[in-house]
Amino acid sequence: MGILSSEAIILRTYPLRETDKLVVAYTRKYGKVRGVARGSRRIRSRFSGRLEPLSWVELVAFEGRNQELVSIDKVELLKGYGLAMQDYQAYLRSSYLLELLMETVPEHEANDSLFRLLLHVLPLLGDSHDSRLASVYFQIWHLKLAGLLPSLAACSRCGAALGRSTGAWRRLEVLGLFCQECRQGAGHRVLGEVLELADQVVKKSLPDLARGKIASKTVSALNAVAEEMAQTGFERKFDSLSLLRQESGNR
Ligand SMILES: [Zn+2]
């Protein structure tokens, strides 16, 4: 029987039997794992307050006969980021990040870069002001780490340079960006400053970006591009996005 010991981010829990919870966690060493936390639904449980989604924890678990489900033995809370209930938009952005991790990250596949990315964005994700920037940052880097981020600096058809002075066009359900000549009629305009922000996202740290004064409409516009790219790149429709769009009310 193997022992698993790793830092982890709690992604989701489900009630299981009368007193237990099924826990889905993204661990640093083993990737996404599912486990049972026995007794965790009891009021006085040793897991109490440590299994909230987005908690950063140190987790110890045992592999049993059922390879798919580990038995969670110990959970130490390193930091609880929690879902930001006080701000509905920040809450929806956190839910979207959790949905992305649940839906697009394969089980049992460790990825230290993705784990570090999570630790990088979580502190700003619950902040009502910075959550939109944190969400853009996570999506662009998640696409990049998955090898799905198209060039944001060159037309994906002819290779012409795209940047602040040119802007670009995008088409629904197509990953790349296009220059004016290659846009082929229909297409959504991506303004130069949005491309410039995308370029900064891949070059700067999130706290550095958050210190700069970026117009909120530029952040929203890049979020819209990143959300489309995530749905096209991962070939999924994300439920949290429709709620987020209703709430943002501007697209
Ligand atoms: Zn072109």
Side-chain angles (χ1 to χ4, degrees), residues 8 47 50 56-60 74-79:
F47 295 113
R50 297 165 184 203
W56 174 31
V57 301
E58 189 71 52
L59 179 147
V60 179
K74 212 159 73 181
V75 177
E76 292 292 342
L77 188 66
L78 297 172
K79 191 154 175 62

Side-chain angles (χ1 to χ4, degrees), residues 155-160 162 177-183:
C155 171
S156 55
R157 188 159 168 269
C158 75
L162 303 172
L177 297 175
F178 299 94
C179 72
Q180 177 149 24
E181 278 71 45
C182 300
R183 60 184 280 220

